[in-house]
Amino acid sequence: MSLPTALTPVVVATALLVGCRAPPPTESAGHALEPPVEAVDLDPSPGRLEVELVAERAPDGTYRYSGVRPGPTLRARVGDRVIVHLDNALDVPTTIHWHGVGVPNAMDGVPWVTGTVGPGERFTYAFVVERAGTFWYHPHFDTARQVDLGLYGLFVVEDPAEPVIPELLLVFDEPDEGPAHPAHGHGRLARRWTVNGIPAPAIHRLAGGARLRARILNASNSAYLWLHGRDLELVRIAGDQGLDGGSRRGPVLIGPGDRAELDLAIEANAALVSRAWSLNGGPVDWAEPETVLRLEVDRPSPPPPPPSWPHTGRSPTADPGRTNIVWTFAGSDRTGRWTIDGETFPAITPEHLPLGAPAVIEVRNMSPTEHPFHLHGFPFEVLSIDGRAPATQQIEDTVNVRIRERLRLFLTPDRPGTWMAHCHILPHADGGMMTLLEVEGSD
Ligand code: C2O
Ligand code: CU
Ligand code: CU
């Protein structure tokens, strides 16, 4: 566990103040929540965001971007041109991948498409952001190790048509996870969440009742965050790709690499609690839930009324019935070999789709482990899970596939190039559970 150096004095000072209050009996005192640092925009002209990120080694041997962990939050608006200069101050190669953001193939940050950025080298990523949502960035080289050591940050793209309310940015991690091997506790339950770099429970103090838009990222390599509210109703307004068909109430599962946005109406003291979810089969009732965030309200009062979120109100698209690609996930902890269609990356056979033609991908899980499926390049709509359509249209880039489940996903591959599809349990991905999609044709 490493505290972001720049924030340490503040965190410690606040933790001491909070420590004067008697903590509830079953929980540690907690630490004051700090928002992740916002990236400095080097070009203040409108319609552009220009940022420098330095990938570097911290004194304790972990990695970080520009002195902080999580890395600086990038905040842009739909239509903005985003320019990011990556300086690699590490002694190993790295890249930046813009998880969930629709970028040209050459900006996707995957080594076999764009190469790596060597030690001491600088590379400039540039693209226009076309969709609002809560995205993130991380390396795509030696990924499990580099992300686990601390290279990740939030990337928020705002839509000016959405109501503006105070935000709560929450980046969850379970640091120092090590390889996914039984001896290292693979499949174990997350027990040591950090929130924006500090150990849970984080404490967020509010003067009175409040309504917050929480943007939540699970940056951990392999742990599932299964959020429940205590004295708080969870209303999920968005998944990975911004506001979609509608909102949903109830617990929210956020697998590795996944995001969610919540509309939280807080009146009095409340909390976010993560209940145990094993990648070996889901809910584990005998394990203690972990309080990850306490919302402490000094003077309870009713929260502001709900804003009217501009959801599309659409129902799920009717399944066209045909299937363009089937990807079957298999493998096991015992062998550490993880496959898609029996193949282990990089010895894989790419799939092909013609540019611009709507397509259906079916993902089947025949392994004894859940897998958060992630596709680069294009958002997809979840048509159905085991034949059941979601209640409203659901657009994602990362979606959990439970054991024996069959997901049908709908997309329009509108960017030419070679795109990755993989499990976002990073040791599984590094163990071979990755494949490629080639999108060909001319616009
Ligand atoms: Cu978040 Cu291919 O990755
Ligand atoms: Cu990605
Ligand atoms: Cu997996």
Side-chain angles (χ1 to χ4, degrees), residues 211-212 227-236 248-252 262-267 270-272 295:
R211 185 173 288 272
L212 303 173
L227 293 178
H228 292 63
R230 188 169 70 218
D231 302 318
L232 183 65
E233 184 178 45
L234 301 192
V235 180
R236 177 193 189 276
R248 299 176 207 178
R249 284 154 207 281
V252 179
L262 310 180
D263 173 342
L264 299 176
I266 302 148
E267 175 155 6
L272 281 180
L295 298 155

Side-chain angles (χ1 to χ4, degrees), residues 124-280:
T124 297
Y125 296 91
F127 46 85
V128 173
V129 285
E130 293 169 5
R131 246 192 109 92
T134 300
F135 309 109
W136 65 301
Y137 61 92
H138 63 76
H140 223 294
F141 174 78
D142 198 6
T143 314
R145 188 173 152 276
Q146 294 198 358
V147 174
D148 195 31
L149 283 172
L151 293 180
Y152 52 78
L154 270 177
F155 187 168
V156 173
V157 181
E158 297 173 346
D159 178 348
E162 292 175 10
V164 178
I165 65 169
E167 289 193 357
L168 194 58
L169 303 183
L170 302 173
V171 180
F172 285 88
D173 190 12
E174 209 208 12
D176 314 319
E177 294 169 287
H181 185 277
H184 296 96
H186 176 55
R188 78 196 181 301
L189 308 165
R191 302 303 297 157
R192 299 183 302 123
W193 285 107
T194 60
V195 192
N196 299 348
I198 60 170
I203 298 174
H204 185 57
R205 300 200 59 170
L206 295 156
R211 185 173 288 272
L212 303 173
R213 178 179 193 163
R215 297 181 184 263
I216 303 174
L217 161 66
N218 180 354
S220 101
N221 275 19
S222 56
Y224 283 76
L225 189 65
W226 190 26
L227 293 178
H228 292 63
R230 188 169 70 218
D231 302 318
L232 183 65
E233 184 178 45
L234 301 192
V235 180
R236 177 193 189 276
I237 53 169
D240 300 332
Q241 293 277 324
L243 304 179
D244 46 16
S247 57
R248 299 176 207 178
R249 284 154 207 281
V252 179
L253 181 70
I254 308 177
D258 212 352
R259 290 90 63 214
E261 296 183 30
L262 310 180
D263 173 342
L264 299 176
I266 302 148
E267 175 155 6
N269 287 352
L272 281 180
V273 174
S274 184
R275 302 192 55 173
W277 184 285
S278 166
L279 58 82
N280 297 112

Side-chain angles (χ1 to χ4, degrees), residues 97 99 138 140 374 376 422 424:
H97 167 61
H99 181 128
H138 63 76
H140 223 294
H374 171 50
H376 289 212
H422 61 91
H424 222 286

Side-chain angles (χ1 to χ4, degrees), residues 14 36 57 87 89 94 118 124-125 186 193 226 274 325 348 377 380:
T14 324
R57 197 185 179 92
D87 272 314
T94 191
T124 297
Y125 296 91
H186 176 55
W193 285 107
W226 190 26
S274 184
I325 295 173
I348 56 97
F380 53 77

